[in-house]
Structures are given as structure tokens and as C-alpha cells.
Amino acid sequence: MTQSRVPRGVTAGGQFKATGRSEPSPLDGPGTFTDYDLYVALDRYTGVRTSNGDKAVLTAYRDAGWSPELLQRAHSFGLYKWSLGRPGFVEKNPDAVDRIVALEGAPAPRIGQDAVKRAVEKASPDDIRAAVTSWHSHQDVDRFQADLLVAGNPDRENAPDAERYLALIRGGVPDSTLDNKRFEQYPVEDVVAAHQVESESWKAGNLLRRGWTAADVTTYGKGVVRMWAENRDELRSSNLTPQDARTWARVAGSKFTPALAAEMQSAGVTPEEAKAQRQANPKWSGAQVASSLMHAPVSEHIAKKVSSEMLTRVAANPRLLSAVDTAWTPHEGIKNEDVECIERLVADGTVDPKLIGSASRSGIPFAQMRPDHFESPMRMWNAGAEGREAFDAPHRDEWIRRGRRGGRLVWPWTADDFLAD
């Protein structure tokens, strides 16, 4: 059975002619379809142009029992989006038709389409049919998706139940999280809250791993949780009320940790003052801004030596500030515990803060410094022998390993240099 068609608007010449031509009819009879119908469906739903490509694709789909209706159903579910229509797809997925047939009467997914796609690819036709039957009983699209996701979980013994999936779907959790086992250990309300703060699953996962809960999000608000994502414990232990935390987060910005914000607030500094000082000195760290408002501006040299949480403590103590200014370490920065050791040494006034630098250059670890080490330069140098050796040994071992015996020590000072200073 054929039909005639004269392309509208074309009068003569070119690819089309102004005379009738024969084409396959869309229907070859009741309930049947032609190669042309299947070709049109493949072109529409998969982008495969069999007239210009591999005719074997069309033949394979026809022989496997695919109809335009099945292609349309697969398309509406977003199924096999990248592989559908490729040569060899039918051979590699012999039960694909059965899965799509089983979806007859199912609603196209409203949300979570990628998760449903993965579920259908894993579930058996019987499991899919059971989910569709469930849909007919309650007409709930979300519930249907939840049942289908459970059916498609290969680890059926440990699969989260449909109620959990349903709660996640209705909470707006994205596809990438719905069947991600890394989220199974967290309560549904915490997973939903984390995704309300961060829409990307990996960011939401980071919040959950750091211990943020739905109660935290409710208490502090999304902005605070997002800005201080890495400082949950510090925020909880600070004396900032939720309202204070929201104000500091909104006004002052991310340069200030919860501990710094709480310290400034205790000292009478307002978020507006902190913001103004930060804008006036854009290169300063939050700790430098806090120090300038509570004590006095500290140099970049000092700011690089100690951590942000220790900087205001150093700036508040002139003797400690002087000692840290002269202190030296073979590596960048001075650890918090080392600052505390220095603070104890200079606290009672028996040790000159400026001598801390000399003691550190002799090789004495901060934790091992004692007041009697400062009696003379030679005593300092002798007390630092063990520290210098510990620093040099790895380098000397490396020279030996490479056959460079006799390399000089790498400690920056010799006894003559040190004692001359």
C-alpha cells in the first residue's frame, strides 16, 4: 500500500520534483508498522538517520520487536539516551524490549529521571511491572519512582526501602544522591537539609561528613552553614548565638572564623567595624583585621609565622610578640604548641624575648628550651646539638645514598657564625 505526496512549495527541479512519488504508508494495516515508521521513530527519538547511515540498525530494531511506540516510551523515560540506536545496542541488550514493554501505563518520571533510568537498566521486567502495578493502585508518581528505584537496586538485601527513597525524592535530593550508598548512613532529614544548603551532591556530602545536621541548618541558617562549612565544631563551641552568627556571616564575610568573630564581639567590635577594616585592608587576613581592631596592627611577617587563631593572642602580649618576631624555624611558620612554649618562657620576665631567636637558631626545639639555656651563647649552642643533628641526618643519608659522601651540613649556622652574632 502506497501513498502519493507532492512536497508543498516546491515546483520543479532539485532533489524533489513537482510530480507525485511513492513512499511507504505510515500504517500497513491495523496494529502493524512499516520500516518507514520505525525509521521516523529512530530519527525522532534517537537521532539515528538510517537513510544516511547503517541500515543494519533499522533491521536490528525491527527484528528485535521494537516499535515506534516502544521507542517513544523509552524516550519519555530518558532511557538509553546515549546508546539507543547505536549499532550493536540490540545485541548487547536483549531484554531491553521486555523492560520497556513492562513500563506500559507507567507515568513518565517527574523528577529523578537519571535515577529512574539507572533503576530500569538494573531491574528485571517483573520488578518493573510490580512497580507499575503499585502505581495503578495509588496514582503517586513519586511513589512509583521510589518503588522502581528499590526494584533496580542490585543489593536487594541491604537496599534502602521505598519510604526512604520517597522522602529523598520529595525533599528535592538530586539524582546523583538517590542511589548513592555513601549517603545511606545518614538520616533522611540530614541528607535533605545538606542538599538544601549545597545543591551539588559532593558538597552536600562534605557537610554530612563534617557532622552538620538538619537541626544545625534550622538553628543557624543556610548562609552560616555554607560559609563556615569547615568550622562546625568551632561554631558550636563559640559563644555566638545563632542570631550573632547570622549577622557576622552576612555582614563581615568569610575572612573571619567563628572563633575570631566571637573574640572580636567579646572585645566590643561590631560586624560593621570588622567589615570596614577588611575593606580598607583587602590583603589582610581575618586575624590581622581582628588584631588591628582589638590590639594593634601586626606585620605580614608576624602574620605568616603563626596561625590565624593564634595571631590575636600573640598581638595581645607585647613580650610574646617580640619573641615570636625574632624566633626562627627551619620550616615555614611556628606551630601553635611552639607559641605556647615561648609564651611560658617569657611570661615571668626571666628570659629576654629577643634571645628566643638566638636559641631557635642554635637548634634547641621550643618545647625543650629552659631558662638555664640562656645563660651564655656557648651553652645555647651546645644545647642545640641534638636538634641540629636531627635536621642534618636525613640530608646526610640522602647524600650517602647518592654517593655524595662528605657533603657539608645543611644547618644554616656554624659555631663560629652563631657565636660571632
Side-chain angles (χ1 to χ4, degrees):
M1 183 175 179
T2 59
Q3 64 176 3
S4 298
R5 184 182 75 177
V6 178
R8 182 166 44 186
V10 179
T11 57
Q15 182 179 356
F16 297 103
K17 296 180 180 179
T19 57
R21 64 171 183 161
S22 297
E23 291 181 341
S25 173
L27 293 176
D28 231 15
T32 63
F33 62 91
T34 67
D35 285 357
Y36 177 72
D37 298 314
L38 189 57
Y39 156 67
V40 170
L42 282 168
D43 183 23
R44 178 180 302 167
Y45 300 126
T46 72
V48 175
R49 294 183 176 275
T50 54
S51 60
N52 299 324
D54 189 357
K55 291 281 187 181
V57 175
L58 178 62
T59 303
Y61 272 87
R62 181 193 62 203
D63 294 346
W66 282 85
S67 68
E69 178 193 20
L70 291 180
L71 284 168
Q72 182 178 12
R73 189 179 302 166
H75 175 73
S76 68
F77 273 81
L79 297 169
Y80 315 115
K81 183 165 51 177
W82 301 119
S83 58
L84 185 64
R86 289 184 179 177
F89 168 77
V90 172
E91 292 80 0
K92 294 176 183 176
N93 299 272
D95 63 343
V97 170
D98 294 335
R99 292 180 187 152
I100 306 304
V101 169
L103 284 168
E104 183 177 6
R110 187 167 59 220
I111 56 175
Q113 190 176 75
D114 287 345
V116 171
K117 168 183 174 291
R118 290 192 295 272
V120 172
E121 289 175 341
K122 295 175 183 177
S124 69
D126 287 341
D127 288 336
I128 295 173
R129 199 170 289 109
V132 175
T133 301
S134 176
W135 144 256
H136 285 306
S137 67
H138 47 63
Q139 299 290 295
D140 185 333
V141 178
D142 293 343
R143 180 73 198 203
F144 163 68
Q145 292 182 97
D147 290 340
L148 195 59
L149 286 167
V150 172
N153 193 315
D155 188 9
R156 296 292 292 276
E157 295 298 322
N158 300 317
D161 61 15
E163 297 301 327
R164 178 181 174 87
Y165 275 126
L166 192 59
L168 291 173
I169 290 172
R170 289 179 172 167
V173 173
D175 292 345
S176 55
T177 301
L178 290 175
D179 57 357
N180 190 326
K181 291 184 178 297
R182 288 180 297 177
F183 290 89
E184 288 181 3
Q185 60 182 300
Y186 304 108
V188 169
E189 57 271 19
D190 292 346
V191 176
V192 170
H195 281 86
Q196 288 173 348
V197 176
E198 296 288 0
S199 59
E200 296 182 60
S201 286
W202 69 272
K203 291 183 178 180
N206 286 340
L207 291 178
L208 293 168
R209 282 191 293 275
R210 291 180 178 125
W212 292 99
T213 65
D216 292 329
V217 176
T218 301
T219 300
Y220 293 106
K222 299 177 186 178
V224 172
V225 174
R226 189 179 297 114
M227 191 181 81
W228 282 329
E230 299 180 6
N231 306 100
R232 170 187 170 269
D233 294 338
E234 185 179 313
L235 176 60
R236 283 187 167 186
S237 62
S238 72
N239 60 1
L240 289 176
T241 66
Q243 180 58 46
D244 291 338
R246 287 191 287 272
T247 301
W248 278 95
R250 184 181 68 254
V251 177
S254 60
K255 275 199 172 185
F256 305 105
T257 63
L260 267 179
E263 189 177 357
M264 284 189 286
Q265 181 161 290
S266 298
V269 178
T270 66
E272 289 74 19
E273 291 172 331
K275 178 182 179 181
Q277 185 74 308
R278 177 175 57 82
Q279 291 175 337
N281 301 277
K283 292 185 178 181
W284 281 9
S285 67
Q288 283 178 286
V289 171
S291 174
S292 69
L293 291 168
M294 293 188 294
H295 311 294
V298 292
S299 66
E300 187 176 352
H301 167 69
I302 295 291
K304 287 182 177 180
K305 275 192 171 185
V306 298
S307 64
S308 296
E309 61 266 29
M310 193 61 74
L311 186 59
T312 53
R313 180 172 171 177
V314 170
N317 186 336
R319 288 179 62 81
L320 179 58
L321 181 63
S322 177
V324 168
D325 187 34
T326 62
W328 177 86
T329 61
H331 309 289
E332 290 186 9
I334 303 177
K335 298 177 181 177
N336 289 356
E337 55 266 31
D338 292 335
V339 174
E340 292 173 351
C341 292
I342 297 171
E343 187 176 31
R344 287 193 294 270
L345 275 171
V346 302
D348 59 5
T350 57
V351 175
D352 185 349
K354 295 180 180 179
L355 291 179
I356 295 294
S358 298
S360 62
R361 286 190 290 275
S362 74
I364 309 174
F366 294 108
Q368 297 178 18
M369 291 181 185
R370 303 191 309 267
D372 60 284
H373 289 153
F374 297 85
E375 292 178 358
S376 69
M378 181 57 73
R379 192 177 182 102
M380 273 189 207
W381 183 254
N382 291 338
E386 187 176 343
R388 297 193 301 274
E389 173 62 21
F391 180 81
D392 287 338
H395 300 280
R396 188 163 53 246
D397 293 344
E398 181 67 11
W399 291 333
I400 293 173
R401 189 181 69 81
R402 296 187 179 188
R404 296 172 56 193
R405 294 180 183 274
R408 70 177 183 83
L409 295 179
V410 296
W411 190 260
W413 292 273
T414 64
D416 292 339
D417 296 335
F418 180 81
L419 295 174
D421 290 342

